[in-house]
């Protein structure tokens, strides 16, 4: 440690002894320092602070000798903490390099993993892990990522089975530059690339758009890689401190014995649940649950924790706010209030109007599904239930929808020529394509339930039939199946949330009102009929010109809420009030 | 930037067909052509029964679709034999696959192994995707640029992609995959349709 404290101004070892500000070391390093500060084990790391990026640019894009000496000290601190050596094939240390500005922004260099791998280290890794395929793949992935991220080669996405030699050749052909074969040259190039990315065209353009100063820079975090494939007591996984699908307050996660980080995240391997970790390594499992709870308590929010177990030792790689389903979002927000972690004003900010709308969507009545056999099964592209008549021709779909019919557009594929029919329809079914097809992208943007890839000729066969489309399950049924509605009052999490929203919302929003009202839908105010875009100024003017209580679907948009706030409207009718109240609350926060 | 050897009456109807319906201004903008010329060509198409028009908005008539299908192999006979263009198109399809995956990641997010709608509450997640869009845009510049070396009119799509990307960067996030506007996806979808029609390829999804 003595050697690093002398250089404390040039690099900072993230050993938990201090917590420098995010504005000095960037978000990534700050998060590592915070975890180590809580006494949790993370792979050893050091950070080159943002001030060094400024110095680098002032010096004409050079890493001066003093800084490089400090970086070497940093590498040595990781070497002594891990007992491995950078570039040593017998006990290799591999590191990741990440950028970290105070505000994250597009254009900054992405992560490079597994720096320090060379032909010799690849052989060493194959020997240590007993897995030559893994060693070869790690080397090839490193070359792909280094070529893509540091040398800016235009490469196709990584395909497994590649070799480092293949990747080196592709990169050399594309950019005329070779990937360094010396670990320290790799590190130096990666650090320069992070600093250079501060002035990339995209980063500059982003800062210009957002009025962020070009002064400043990005930090560089260098961290040891840990191995989830080092014998029987190793593996990698993800833990959610609560169930992200239904919100239950029980940890939920995935465990991949013998796996490396990206295997879980990329979904490339079949994974087990956490009980398998508990059975194999009960003390590691208990430590993981304790640490995860520490993180949830600290953040007062559900965490998604990535971890690796290397030869029986648990390391936390990353923690962040967990992404969750709409059902989980409402349940977690109310649970955290009743557990005393957050107050009701915070809870209403954690649920979006879209999530409430999604929870309130009708579902198929379970008893109806007992006898129902789907007439088409495909990929679930956009969730929701809709009932309508199958129509193939988009013009006919549009015409009949305008005449008041509910239409399900059934197409072999979709092109821009079909978009008007998709807008008019209540749901879309296609023969071809997967969950990332144009049809899927368009229906999700429109919020239309859709099922794609039901098979050649199947969708057109549904023409003229009354159909029930279940976009979440990827199924289409004949006839109109009975639906089951959810109400706010009956929902255990939505009903307290609704009460809190009424309490905190600065505008009175009620479900019913008896006297005269201004109905923007009836008056056709605020929406451009051709583009469907909201005209905020028109809504504001209409509200200012009228003292009446107001209603209208246009209000439940970002622009509509801005108009409400700008006009000082005091009474709004919306049924149910909750989604609009949440939108107003979020707008007032901004 | 319209190609001198492609007759304007064909080009105007083709541009209209890519969008299905539109005003002379939108068709001219898509093609990078002169609006007055396109308006005149569309009026002529109406007179021929190849298009229908009302209140400045035109649509391709069934006879117009049939005529276009006849014309494509003739007008684009050389383009379809152009190895550089078809190679660029193959690369376009690869970028297309990646872009559609990106739009999906923009609209949905992974919650414990299940895709749920992106609630846009995680600014870092959104910024990460916008960053990926920037990188893919750089690839699109190369690929569409290569297509435009063979068919200069296609460069207009690149400008439209740039306009959409700029709006996204400035915070108007509807311009990632919004439907009723010239979002990045809308423009890309139209560019895709344009190329498929030119090259006589069949849509795979």
């Amino acid at each position: 440690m003595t050697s690093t404290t002398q250089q404390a101004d040039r690099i900072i070892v993230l050993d938990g002894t201090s917590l420098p500000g995010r504005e000095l070391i960037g978000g990534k390093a700050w998060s590592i320092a915070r975890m180590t500060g809580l006494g949790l084990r993370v792979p050893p790391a050091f950070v080159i602070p943002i001030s060094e990026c400024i110095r680098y640019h002032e010096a004409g894009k050079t890493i001066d000798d003093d800084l490089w000496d400090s970086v070497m000290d940093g590498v040595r601190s990781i070497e002594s903490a891990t007992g491995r050596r950078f570039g040593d094939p017998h006990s290799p240390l591999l590191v990741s390099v990440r950028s970290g500005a105070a505000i994250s922004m597009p254009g900054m260099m992405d992560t490079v993993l597994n720096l320090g791998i060379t032909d010799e280290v690849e052989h060493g890794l194959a020997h240590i892990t007993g897995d030559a395929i893994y060693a070869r793949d790690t080397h090839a992935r490193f070359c792909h990522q280094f070529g893509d991220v540091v040398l800016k080669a235009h490469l196709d996405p990584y395909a497994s089975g590649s070799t480092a030699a293949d990747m080196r050749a592709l990169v050399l052909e594309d950019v005329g530059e070779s990937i360094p074969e010396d670990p320290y040259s790799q590190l130096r190039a990666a650090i320069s690339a992070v600093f250079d990315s501060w002035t990339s065209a995209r980063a500059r353009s982003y800062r210009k758009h957002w009025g962020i100063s070009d002064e400043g820079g990005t930090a560089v975090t260098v961290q040891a890689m840990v191995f989830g494939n080092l014998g029987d007591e190793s593996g990698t996984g993800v833990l959610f401190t609560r169930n992200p699908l239904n919100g239950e307050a029980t940890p939920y996660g995935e465990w991949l014995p013998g796996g490396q980080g990206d295997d879980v995240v990329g979904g490339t391997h079949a994974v087990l649940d956490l009980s398998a970790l508990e059975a194999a390594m009960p003390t590691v499992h208990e430590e993981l649950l304790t640490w995860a709870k520490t993180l949830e308590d600290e953040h007062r929010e559900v965490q998604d924790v990535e971890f690796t177990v290397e030869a029986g030792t648990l390391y936390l790689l990353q923690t962040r706010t967990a992404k969750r389903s709409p059902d989980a979002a409402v349940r977690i927000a109310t649970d955290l209030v009743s557990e005393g972690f957050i107050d009701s004003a915070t809870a209403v900010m954690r649920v979006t109007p879209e999530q409430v709308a999604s929870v309130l969507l009708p579902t198929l009545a379970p008893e109806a599904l007992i006898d129902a056999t789907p007439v088409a099964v495909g990929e679930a592209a956009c969730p929701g239930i809709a009932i309508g008549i199958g129509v193939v021709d988009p013009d006919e779909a549009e015409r009949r929808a305008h005449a008041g019919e509910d239409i399900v557009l059934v197409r072999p594929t979709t092109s821009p020529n079909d978009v008007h029919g998709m807008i008019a329809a209540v749901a879309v079914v296609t023969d071809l394509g997967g969950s990332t097809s144009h049809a899927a992208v368009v229906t999700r943007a429109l919020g239309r339930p859709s099922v794609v890839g039901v098979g050649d000729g199947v969708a057109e066969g549904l023409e003229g039939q009354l159909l029930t489309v279940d976009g979440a399950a990827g199924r289409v049924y004949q006839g109109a199946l009975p639906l089951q509605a959810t109400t706010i009052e009956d929902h255990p999490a939505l009903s307290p949330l609704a009460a809190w929203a009424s309490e905190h919302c600065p505008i009175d929003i009620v479900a019913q009102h008896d006297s005269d009202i201004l109905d923007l839908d009836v008056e056709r105010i605020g929406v451009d009929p051709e583009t469907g875009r909201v005209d905020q100024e028109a809504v504001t003017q209409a509200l200012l010109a009228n003292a009446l209580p107001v209603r209208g679907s246009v209000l439940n948009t970002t622009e509509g809420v801005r108009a409400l706030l700008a006009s000082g409207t005091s009474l709004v009718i919306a049924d149910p009030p909750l989604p609009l109240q949440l939108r107003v609350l979020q707008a007032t926060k901004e | 930037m319209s190609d001198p050897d492609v007759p304007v009456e064909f080009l105007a109807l083709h541009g209209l067909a890519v969008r299905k319906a539109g005003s002379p201004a939108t068709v001219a903008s898509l093609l990078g052509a002169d609006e007055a010329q396109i308006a005149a060509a569309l009026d002529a198409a109406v007179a021929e029964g190849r298009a229908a028009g009302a209140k400045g908005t035109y649509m391709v008539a069934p006879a117009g679709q049939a005529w276009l299908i006849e014309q494509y192999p003739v007008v684009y006979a050389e383009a379809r034999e152009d190895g550089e263009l078809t190679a660029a198109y193959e690369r376009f399809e690869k970028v297309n696959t990646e872009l559609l995956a990106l739009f999906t990641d923009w609209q949905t997010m992974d919650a414990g192994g299940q895709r749920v709608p992106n609630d846009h509450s995680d600014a870092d997640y959104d910024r990460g995707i916008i960053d990926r869009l920037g990188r893919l845009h750089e690839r699109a510049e190369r690929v569409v640029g290569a297509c435009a070396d063979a068919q200069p009119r296609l460069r207009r799509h690149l400008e439209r992609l740039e306009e959409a990307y700029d709006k996204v960067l400035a915070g108007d996030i509807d311009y990632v995959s919004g439907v009723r506007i010239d979002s990045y996806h809308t423009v890309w979808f139209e560019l895709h349709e344009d190329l498929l029609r030119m090259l006589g390829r069949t849509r795979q999804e």
Side-chain angles (χ1 to χ4, degrees):
Chain A
M1 284 319 287
T2 44
S3 61
T4 57
T5 40
Q6 283 169 6
Q7 301 289 349
D9 57 329
R10 308 296 307 259
I11 66 147
I12 299 166
V13 176
L14 300 170
D15 56 7
T17 52
S18 66
L19 182 53
R22 189 188 278 264
E23 70 288 356
L24 301 177
I25 61 172
K28 178 70 200 170
W30 186 80
S31 168
I32 293 171
R34 194 169 174 196
M35 284 198 278
T36 51
L38 288 168
L40 313 182
R41 193 183 303 114
V42 302
F46 69 91
V47 60
I48 307 170
I50 289 170
S51 53
E52 292 301 331
C53 180
I54 299 168
R55 233 196 253 210
Y56 168 88
H57 284 288
E58 282 170 359
K61 299 196 176 197
T62 45
I63 294 175
D64 63 55
D65 292 345
D66 276 355
L67 176 58
W68 188 245
D69 287 345
S70 297
V71 169
M72 302 293 249
D73 287 341
V75 171
R76 279 191 281 277
S77 79
I78 296 180
E79 285 179 338
S80 68
T82 57
R84 296 206 176 92
R85 287 182 51 214
F86 203 43
D88 178 355
H90 303 295
S91 180
L93 168 67
L94 302 185
V95 300
S96 64
V97 170
R98 294 181 165 90
S99 68
I103 308 166
S104 68
M105 63 184 76
M108 305 301 292
M109 195 197 83
D110 238 23
T111 305
V112 183
L113 302 174
N114 295 311
L115 269 100
I117 197 164
T118 61
D119 288 340
E120 294 74 44
V121 169
E122 180 189 324
H123 292 134
L125 268 182
H127 182 70
I128 295 162
T129 61
D131 188 347
I133 294 172
Y134 155 78
R136 188 189 68 197
D137 194 54
T138 301
H139 194 188
R141 272 179 202 275
F142 161 74
C143 291
H144 181 269
Q145 201 170 34
F146 195 96
D148 175 30
V149 172
V150 178
L151 299 179
K152 305 275 181 284
H154 290 256
L155 302 172
D156 287 329
Y158 181 77
S160 57
S162 310
T163 66
D166 297 341
M167 288 301 160
R168 286 177 182 284
L170 283 174
V171 170
L172 182 62
E173 187 193 329
D174 191 63
V175 295
E177 220 179 317
S178 296
I179 296 165
E181 305 210 26
D182 163 54
Y184 288 95
S185 307
Q186 292 171 2
L187 182 59
R188 196 170 181 129
I191 291 169
S192 293
V194 172
F195 286 159
D196 289 342
S197 71
W198 176 257
T199 58
S200 76
R202 271 183 290 130
R204 285 219 298 246
S205 161
Y206 183 83
R207 290 196 293 271
K208 193 167 147 231
H209 276 299
W210 290 93
I212 300 168
S213 163
D214 278 336
E215 288 164 25
T218 173
V220 186
T221 303
V222 180
Q223 186 172 33
M225 303 286 302
V226 287
F227 299 98
N229 53 353
L230 220 59
D232 290 341
E233 297 209 315
S234 298
T236 192
V238 178
L239 176 136
F240 292 84
T241 53
R242 290 168 197 246
N243 187 310
L245 300 175
N246 60 22
E248 258 177 47
T250 38
Y252 173 96
E254 293 176 337
W255 165 244
L256 179 59
Q260 266 297 74
D262 286 351
D263 296 341
V264 173
V265 179
T268 44
H269 289 54
V271 288
L272 307 175
D273 67 42
L274 288 175
S275 59
L277 173 62
E278 185 175 14
M281 286 179 269
T283 43
V284 168
H285 180 258
E286 200 187 318
E287 191 174 36
L288 175 65
L289 293 192
T290 311
W291 288 2
K293 180 74 180 124
T294 303
L295 287 168
E296 185 183 281
D297 291 355
E298 176 76 8
H299 291 265
R300 295 168 180 265
E301 174 61 294
V302 188
Q303 297 295 299
D304 157 356
V305 183
E306 285 177 26
F307 65 92
T308 287
V309 181
E310 179 186 276
T313 303
L314 173 67
Y315 291 92
L316 301 188
L317 305 183
Q318 173 163 260
T319 188
R320 58 192 162 190
T321 299
K323 298 191 174 24
R324 62 204 76 174
S325 73
D327 286 299
V330 298
R331 170 154 181 192
I332 289 167
T334 49
D335 280 359
L336 289 176
V337 174
S338 49
E339 292 167 33
F341 283 107
I342 58 174
D343 57 20
S344 62
T346 307
V348 294
M349 301 305 293
R350 287 201 183 163
V351 176
T352 66
E354 291 79 12
Q355 285 168 333
V356 170
S358 169
V359 173
L360 289 174
L361 285 176
T363 54
L364 289 176
E367 63 275 12
L369 288 174
I370 297 169
D371 296 326
T373 316
V375 287
V377 177
E379 276 202 67
C382 181
I385 310 281
I387 298 173
I389 303 279
V391 172
V392 173
D393 182 67
D395 295 340
E396 182 188 340
E398 187 180 43
R399 202 167 54 242
R400 288 174 64 176
H402 286 174
E405 278 185 276
D406 286 339
I407 300 298
V408 175
L409 186 67
V410 289
R411 301 281 311 156
T413 62
T414 61
S415 81
N417 286 271
D418 304 317
V419 170
H420 64 299
M422 297 164 90
I423 291 173
V426 294
V428 177
V429 180
T430 68
D431 284 344
L432 302 182
S435 59
T436 62
S437 61
H438 284 299
V441 170
V442 172
T443 53
R444 279 193 295 262
L446 292 168
R448 298 284 181 280
S450 63
V451 178
V452 299
V454 296
D456 230 345
V458 174
E460 294 115 299
L462 303 174
E463 169 133 59
Q465 300 184 35
L466 181 63
L467 303 168
T468 300
V469 178
D470 181 347
R475 288 162 185 262
V476 183
Y477 300 91
Q478 205 164 39
L481 297 194
L483 302 182
Q484 178 171 283
T486 306
T487 62
I488 290 177
E489 293 70 31
D490 298 337
H491 194 281
L494 284 179
S495 94
L497 208 59
W500 298 330
S502 295
E503 180 190 330
H504 296 293
C505 185
I507 300 177
D508 264 340
I509 302 176
V510 297
Q512 307 279 337
H513 191 73
D514 290 336
S515 72
D516 281 354
I517 59 166
L518 167 65
D519 191 325
L520 298 173
D521 293 344
V522 172
E523 306 291 333
R524 293 174 180 273
I525 292 169
V527 182
D528 182 323
E530 196 183 329
T531 62
R533 293 216 108 193
V534 177
D535 183 346
Q536 185 182 324
E537 192 49 35
V539 178
T540 310
Q541 289 311 322
L543 295 177
L544 286 172
N546 233 303
L548 293 173
V550 61
R551 72 180 302 151
S553 50
V554 69
L555 297 174
N556 203 9
T557 59
T558 309
E559 296 84 357
V561 164
R562 285 194 195 128
L564 274 180
L565 292 168
S567 64
T569 302
S570 58
L571 185 59
V572 180
I573 298 108
D575 190 16
L578 181 57
L580 183 56
Q581 286 170 329
L582 294 178
R583 209 180 284 284
V584 169
L585 281 162
Q586 277 158 12
T588 33
K589 177 92 179 286
E590 285 157 13
Chain B
M1 208 37 104
S2 48
D3 306 293
D5 50 342
V6 178
V8 67
E9 54 269 32
F10 166 83
L11 204 58
L13 202 64
H14 166 68
L16 187 63
V18 166
R19 283 195 78 120
K20 169 83 187 181
S23 65
T26 54
V27 174
S29 160
L30 182 140
L31 296 166
D34 177 66
E35 187 181 331
Q37 270 188 22
I38 295 296
L42 288 177
D43 283 335
V46 173
E48 295 270 353
R50 290 177 187 149
K55 287 187 278 179
T57 301
Y58 296 80
M59 275 176 70
V60 184
Q65 286 288 13
W67 181 72
L68 278 174
I69 287 163
E70 249 174 59
Q71 290 293 306
Y72 283 128
V74 181
V75 174
Y76 291 121
E78 259 180 63
R80 289 179 183 192
E81 297 300 312
D82 181 341
E84 287 189 13
L85 180 57
T86 50
Y89 170 76
E90 298 303 331
R91 294 206 301 281
F92 172 91
E93 282 291 346
K94 286 185 178 176
V95 178
N96 181 56
T97 304
E98 286 187 68
L99 259 178
L100 287 173
L102 178 142
F103 295 129
T104 300
D105 290 343
W106 175 255
Q107 294 172 325
T108 65
M109 56 188 191
D110 184 90
Q114 189 176 306
R115 299 308 292 188
V116 300
N118 180 6
D119 57 11
H120 298 292
S121 61
D122 183 345
D124 281 345
Y125 178 80
D126 282 2
R127 265 194 297 265
I129 294 174
I130 293 171
D131 190 33
R132 257 169 74 199
L133 180 63
R135 272 178 278 143
L136 273 178
H137 181 64
E138 284 172 15
R139 293 186 59 193
E141 279 174 340
R142 301 217 321 184
V143 171
V144 182
C147 295
D149 287 343
Q151 291 284 319
R153 149 183 95 71
L154 296 174
R155 206 167 296 282
R156 174 58 196 145
H157 288 298
L158 204 48
E159 291 167 17
R160 298 173 67 220
L161 289 172
E162 186 83 38
E163 286 161 18
Y165 175 64
D166 263 357
K167 289 205 167 84
V168 171
L169 213 54
D172 201 344
I173 60 174
D174 267 2
Y175 278 84
V176 177
S177 62
V179 172
R180 294 177 174 93
I181 50 177
D182 281 352
S183 67
Y184 206 93
H185 177 261
T186 300
V187 176
W188 187 263
F189 199 11
E190 289 172 0
L191 165 59
H192 199 179
E193 180 71 12
D194 197 340
L195 288 169
L196 288 167
R197 283 170 175 265
M198 269 178 67
L199 297 175
R201 304 295 177 103
T202 314
R203 189 175 283 281
Q204 297 301 312
E205 54 178 46

